[in-house]
Amino acid sequence: MSSLLRLLRPLARPPLALLGLAALGWVTAPAAAPTPTAGPAPETAGSAAAALPTAPLSFNDHVQPILSENCYHCHGPDSSTREARLRLDRRDDAITARGDYDPAIIPGNPAASPLIERILSTDPEEQMPPPETHKTLKPHEVEILRRWIAEGAAYQPHWSLIAPTRPAVPAAGRGWARSSIDAFIAARLEREGLQPSAPESPARLLRRVTLDLTGLPPTPDELAAFLADPSESAYTRAVDRLLASDAHAEHMARQWLDAARYADTHGIHIDNYRSIWPYRDWVISAYKQNLPFDQFSIEQLAGDLLPEPTLEQRVATGFNRCLPTTSEGGAIEAEYEAIYAKDRVETLSTVWLGLTTSCAACHDHKFDPISMRDFYSLAAFFRNNTMPVMDGNVAETHPNVFVPVPEDRAAWAQLAREIDGLERALAERRTAGETDFARWVAGATVTALRPAPLDHRTAIHLPLDGSDGPNPLARFAGRPENGGATAPAALTPAATPAAGPFGPATRIDGRSLPLGRELPMLQSSQFSVRFLIRVDGAPSGTLLSARTEDDAAPGWEIFLEDGKPALFISEGNGEPAIRTVNANPLKPGEWHEMLFVFDGTGSHFRLGHLHVSGYKLIDTGVLRMFRSDIRPAAGLRLGGRQVRAGTDENLLKSGAVWLQDFRQLDRVFSHEDAMLESRGIVSALTSLQKPADQRQKDDLKPLREHFFSAIDPVSRGLITATEQLRAQGRPMRDRGAVSLVMVEKSDSTPHAHLLKRGEYSQPGERVEANTPEALPPLPTGTAANRLALARWLFQPDHPLTARVTVNRTWQQLFGTGLVESAGDFGITGARPSHPDLLDWLAVDFRESGWDHRRLLRQLVTTATYRQSAAVSPALLERDPANRLLARGPRHRLDAEVLRDQALAASHLLSRRIGGRPVKPYQPDSIWEEVAMKESTTRFYQRHQGEALYRRSLYTFWKRTAPHPSMEILNAPSRETTCVRRDRTNTPLQALVVQNDPIFVESSRQLAAAALRAAETFDGRLDFITLRLLGRPLATEERGVVQGFVTSARETYRAKPALAADLLRVGDSPADPSLPPVELAAWVLAASQIMNLDESLTK
Amino acid sequence: MSSIHPEWRSAVDTYNNALTRRQFFRRSGTGLGVAALGALLGERLAGAAAPDGKADPLWRIAPRAKRAIYISLIGAPSQLDLFDYKPALRPRFKEDLKGWLSAQGERLTGMTSGQAQFPLAPSIYKFSQHGRGGAWISELLPWHGKMADDLCIIRSMQTDAINHEPANQLIYTGSMQNGKASMGSWLSYGLGSLNQDLPSFVVLHARHSSPTANVQAISARLWGAGFLPGQHAGVAFRNGADPVLYLSDAPGIPRELRRSMLDGLEQLNRRSYEQLGDPDIQTRTQQYEMAFRMQASVPDLANLSGESAATFDLYGPDSRTPGTFASSALMARRLAERGVRFVQIFHRGWDQHGSLPRDLSSQCRDVDQACYGLIQDLKQRGMLDDTLVIWGGEFGRTVYCQGTLTETNYGRDHHPRCFTIWMAGGGIRPGMVHGETDEMSYNVVRDPVHVRDLHATILHQMGLHPERLSFKFQGLDQRLTGVVPAKVVEPILA
């Protein structure tokens, strides 16, 4: 440490006065007073009248900004708002007569051109733009148009649509420039009469580059090593070290996730948890491997369509699944299908194309050459996948893949292979066993149809076939899940015996048989009940109940009313109970299979379905949304509900009921499975009752199912083995997670319909998937699907992808892109401040094989990046936003970096990578205030221990209520793609860094470490500032902190209880060996340093 | 300064630089004037005299209101049971509307589209006429009856959305798409703040008291800034110790130590500024100072103990319980009084698909007297004239019953074609009823007011030109009212 301090000490000289800096020569000589023409305004190039070249005017640089601002709204690409059939965005249209209209522009003759005439007119009827638009051209703008027409009115495509070629590197910046990039910057500075700033001090530079590349501050050791090595290569070696680090991969991923609109919830309405974090981890690992940007993009957009995609490539397609989705009751599918496609087009356009296509969802783009047809042709690429429109509010909306944790990958794959093998063997057995089946079925009798075997999810099984003896529950008695039920009352002996499929069936008479189990309807529960039933007459009475006789008490019941299947559910919350009776009675004298399925997990409605012999008769979803958990006031009973002793109100009336093969399973069935399940035995029975020679092919199906699942020992063995393997896999399943992926529909080609005014309900002409007309076409002979689209982005003649990507990377480091509107390279977007540099970088990036890490390395090693960020008033006035880059970048750190910096400085930071999202400290009731009662993200239960100190990119992101400190510090909501974060400066931000417990706790641990590390005031202060600022304070600054520590110490000495309060903030233990008063005073000092502008800023 | 609208950036920078040169070295650590602070925050958008003498922005017009309070009833209250009186429906109880509905061609939500029957459910509530204008108001809102002469009831509201999420987004952000700026953030952006110690847009979440109410989700996007600079997002004030997140200093930090910490911070930041010349450093210092002042002003604001018993009585007994609607209404007045431009109270639980009589009456009890109290209180303080109050949900409810219809119980599904809101104060004509629906309260038959017309009217009353107030984003001039032309509802203007 002491050597480091020695290295740093010389830097801690008294502050340079601003005047002094000018004397050092890094500020231009007292420049001529800035004139409007010399300003750095790349975005207002059109206004630079005095700077017009003597050579012919450039359409793109000079003319188009004026036309697009003033004329295109009515005379541009959008046909629906076009006036007088005049288009000014295309030369042919502008110089051609249209019916009665003269050409608007007569090349070479401005005086005769109606365009100029109308602009100069003072007649409100004639004047252009019309007075009601409140737009007026300035004299120099009119002059530009006049000269341009005089010069022949040449047009150019919009600059960003012309494929970049590598421009010559200017001969500029000699003695300063370290690379071609610097030469471009220097050339512009020379033109502007400015000089670059002095190099940044080594300590500040290392802090800047470390924060930029890893999102973490340099450690004192890293700083020491860097400062100790004056060689030229020390910096590049530091850069390489940073680029290779895990922290770098995490930091890059975190920024990409804004573009991908990644979050951990669905986003719309109920906003439940969504399982997609393996995708987030894929992004981290992609950056860790420095996956070339083309591959990185193609795998995310279309990894599923690559030949034999790996698990990783499928996980990567989660990019397409990050969008907000809904399952709001009543939502209209067609509407959301259109919304999802639009979101995906918008995301693709913003992230790779830098075009704002969303306007073209409703009308042709007002300014850019993107038509509605283009928009819907792009949308078509994203409308041919198997994702359901309604997400079901489940975490794992299909399609999805299971992703084992890395350590389990091999074992999981092995298990999957084995299961696969068994399933293949089972399929083979079903073919090979056909003769065995034929033999069995020839001699099969009704009694041969033994019920399907029990599996581990069968909680209760009552054969009710005479084999149960007088006590059908005996074999289940004592099982813990039966609540230790013993010896329940026997069912009534059959007064009228009935032959069931499997023997003499048990008649029920309404008296109650407790099954020794509670069966609540909870948000977390899934269960089903299945039994065979036969009635005589049209009986009324209870079949199965979990309720008392009190209708208002919570409970449910399956019953018959005049022979009709019926369902009763009471929430017990004051809401009237549901009592619903099916329209048709059970046909007497026949056996039926009844299946009741309850699923509380799959939806924000708790759903109950009653099926009889393959038909869904009752669906509670259409009746009512159950909002509360239902915990019945009585346990599960067969044959009658729990009543007060001595009453018989539940006795079955008007008929007789027999039951057989009663099962209660702790599982649900999908709709299709439920239909099969509830007609399995019954249809097998029906088939079996037909004479063998009259059986049709379909009649054999249920019998074959039964044979291979219940009779054939070979296949039963295979089934059991499969079950065992699945059970073995369960712990791996619990460790890993499902991730949502994209799967293309195989039976249709991508297409879409133009939607009039963007309304889902107004479909128009059908279009096939295609790329926008103004951009290069797809290669001929390729199927137009997502993969083709993804590959098309990286065609060498593509004008946008490389430019947009290098620009975004530039923005990451310099705060603003060369094109300020990072998501809009269109006509109304900003124009590049350094067009040649942008093109040079784009071509270089493409030719490097889309090597993103190389690009970062190139940028951070420039002299431009390594300049001091100090600015003189004169330069500030010339270039307030630093678009000319006569100084180094300086801006506030992102929300996540601020928190991670505090954790890293205080040694609290966990360095674990990836995994489930974590829930660190958050103020109370942030979620409850906005959440629905049913939401799985209604209550925020914060984690404990290490999870509190993970890097911020692992914080659980609930879309409708993101973590408030992140939100206050300008993290986007992740509801739409975001390629450029807002950066405000508000008092709420000051409150976060002062008072959010994580910042207070970090200050506390940083102070404790300082107290342990050093005895003296100076030593302790150095310990803190080295970690947060990368430098020791100057003498004058030390005095300020010392004064504060002294007064804090006095306060805490007088009121030790206050010190104790402060030291209790945060879960991590306080060091009992440190004197509380001294520690508390230092906690405040650490917090003060943490709140310095210098700490908050890179 | 990167967050400031480009149009203003250079002006603010110029001002900053002037400040830098002339004043910075002469200023003490805490002595920044409010004007300077406003400029640093970009709040000159407020249209107050600009330091560089620039005229008001083009979008400013003569205001009728200085501030607004929006009472947002999430879930959509039933117009049929509160304001849109249809006595002729009584005898048609249980009439099946299936055929009639399909003739209307309206889409139905997935919740009722499968119903076999659509029995007509007349309101079971008594209505009576109130005030000079003779407005019909249901017995569920007796206090509203008493203030009928203060209200302008609009029965002809229309929206485009049929489900909560899109409808809430449309009415509170002007668009069913994500990513747009909320109404309050537009007002903040267009008008700036009247109080440097408080945010210009504050959101209050009021509790509903019925445990059985059907509660819809809301999200920060309803009060977010969207594409506008982040400082215009609504700040949600909370119940309890910290009305603003992280407002209270951590335990064990007494106020005087916070003060000396900030004094030191200022000195150290000033030194950075002298070295680096970056004006953001000064802005940061000012923001820490404003945070410090908010630590004093906000608890004072949230402390209702200084209110008189008469005031509490006006709002009703619930007003003494923090977090209730009544308490939020009182808080809204206190915020308006202190110059907060836009206060939005969200009250959830108005989605009566079933058991409407039980739940709607409870919802009404939550808000009825408190709304009366708010209007009277504003009036007594002479604030109603320049405070615009708006009350309503995101759409209406169907005339037919969802679920089982009995003599005493029914539910109603979503209905976008007509609904009722009311407005008061802020240059709106009091004591009038605007618009009319057909005999089924199904379609508007006179004076339709689309949501975008409501937006235009609110902006207009607040002194903002609905079409000129725009912000360039994604290549378009974004407006609260959207692209379809919107009209100010002239007949309701006083």
Side-chain angles (χ1 to χ4, degrees), chain A residues 520-523 546-547 550-557 568-579 598 604-607 620 623-633 933-934, chain B residues 211-214 354-355 358-359:
Chain A
M521 292 176 161
L522 308 178
Q523 190 175 10
R547 60 169 299 201
D550 177 5
D551 279 1
W556 57 273
E557 175 178 332
F568 169 94
I569 300 180
S570 171
E571 291 178 80
N573 59 3
E575 189 94 12
I578 279 192
R579 197 172 180 284
F598 174 79
H604 66 290
F605 299 47
R606 291 161 172 75
L607 285 178
T620 64
L623 300 169
R624 168 114 57 80
M625 301 173 236
F626 295 111
R627 294 178 177 280
S628 343
D629 283 346
I630 301 173
R631 296 179 190 280
K933 274 189 211 161
E934 301 82 357
Chain B
T212 58
N214 193 12
S355 302
R358 181 196 61 198
D359 289 336

Side-chain angles (χ1 to χ4, degrees), chain A residues 135 208 416 452 772 829 981 1088 1098:
Chain A
K135 285 180 173 168
R208 176 189 298 166
R981 283 193 182 191
Q1088 185 180 48
K1098 79 163 190 203

Side-chain angles (χ1 to χ4, degrees), chain A residues 304-383:
Chain A
D304 56 316
L305 296 172
L306 290 168
E308 298 193 23
T310 61
L311 177 64
E312 281 71 22
Q313 287 168 332
R314 299 195 64 200
V315 170
T317 65
F319 177 87
N320 299 294
R321 299 293 305 278
C322 284
L323 79 178
T325 60
T326 194
S327 231
E328 179 174 356
I332 297 160
E333 293 214 355
E335 182 172 15
Y336 276 94
E337 218 173 349
I339 289 173
Y340 298 164
K342 182 163 181 256
D343 173 287
R344 287 170 175 152
V345 172
E346 230 172 273
T347 303
L348 172 94
S349 308
T350 308
V351 177
W352 283 276
L353 302 178
L355 289 177
T356 58
T357 50
S358 59
C359 330
C362 309
H363 50 76
D364 292 343
H365 200 291
K366 294 276 178 213
F367 307 100
D368 294 337
I370 301 287
S371 64
M372 268 183 94
R373 169 177 288 275
D374 288 332
F375 179 86
Y376 287 100
S377 304
L378 277 176
F381 287 107
F382 298 104
R383 292 193 77 148

